[in-house]
Amino acid sequence: MASTTSRPAVLAILLAAALITTGSAGIAFAETPATTDVQTTEPADEDDVIDSFVERLSTLETVEFTRTTESEFGNETSRRTVHVVADLEDIQKRTETVNATVGSNTTTVMNESAIRTYDPAENTVSEYEISGEQTLLPTLDVLANESFVSYELAGMDTVNGNDTYVLEATPQRQAETDVEMSLTVFVDTETYFPVRIESERTGETYTYSSTVTHSNVTLNEEIPESTFELDVPADTSEPSEYVGPDVSAYESYDDLSTQATLSLPAEELAAAFSFQEGTIVEGEDYYSVSLRYTDGEETISVNTRADPFNESIYEESDRYEAVEVGETAGYRYDSDEFTSLHWAEDEQAYSLYGEIENGTAMDIAESIVGE
């Protein structure tokens, strides 16, 4: 990770790069590869490993891989699997979203002058002209830039049965900020391609974490020109103009509860947490209410929405532990810094997030369920 005075922190670029993939699809996910504990014995010369890694990314001609991104921001979790094919010499790329927690399945082709995206669910195609130098693989581009990122060899690990070098990244130039950032890259010992990237960005009121895995990797093989053609049905139309959701903020719990069409947690929750502010987000196919509570020191957020509760997101992830919230099944993820908890009740999905201990999170959730 790195930051400069003229750019945002490099880790922020890496975190955002995970969201730059165009298109999304239904829900059916590839299993996130498991890793073992990092070994402390360095298997090779540190400089050789780092130089080989940077050289590999810097000299790519073509690349094809399947990228699975699992991210958590506040109390929202998402997963997306995308197939990527890129010709870096001719500046062409194709992405096909295989699975995602939100949105529809899309295919996008990109060259140095335009981006075209096809959405089969809507049977629409969008085209945008672009200019200037294009970065086809922003995450890999940043990882290979030694003026942004420096590395230390932390040891070896195993990802999906393959040996990897573990590189811990640090910024070359760090702007003054209260944001804490971390980045770990797992590099295949044979190809020197990153097979797993773990990052976390923690601010005063939020934490964003992301795990990116690359599988089915093919390097520097010839790619047929037809790969970068976007074939669409003859009756495809341009999408209608996008209208974003309405967002309304409330400082009064009474005002929020009057306007909300969902059942809300109480104004006072367990562990002495009291309502601070709330927000209603209402779109054409989406409706949610977010409430923030404080005990005078810590702040938590509780989100509820009318969407069906998709347990498969949590059951198929090794990040979550199944728990009981009262008599309701829930899923909890915790780190040294925060806890997030997800459950459903009365056809509403709930998420709780905060820099609090497990027991406190469970008490608060059970006070909501028990209302």
Side-chain angles (χ1 to χ4, degrees), residues 92 94 107 109 116 224-232:
Q92 298 184 98
R94 181 188 185 94
T107 299
V109 294
R116 298 186 71 210
E225 187 65 25
S226 60
T227 301
F228 305 106
E229 297 174 358
L230 186 63
D231 296 325
V232 299

Side-chain angles (χ1 to χ4, degrees), residues 15 82 102 108 127 163 203 211 256 268 319:
L15 299 178
V82 181
V102 178
T108 297
E127 183 168 350
D163 291 336
T211 298
L256 176 68
E268 304 290 334
R319 295 164 61 110

Side-chain angles (χ1 to χ4, degrees), residues 9-25:
V10 164
L11 181 57
I13 299 174
L14 292 171
L15 299 178
L19 305 177
I20 290 176
T21 55
T22 53
S24 54

Side-chain angles (χ1 to χ4, degrees), residues 31 69 79 96 176 183-184 210 265 268 271 274 295 334 347:
E31 181 179 357
T69 303
R79 294 188 71 181
E96 296 183 51
E176 292 186 6
L183 174 66
T184 305
S210 173
E268 304 290 334
S274 301
D295 65 353
D334 61 273
E347 299 183 356

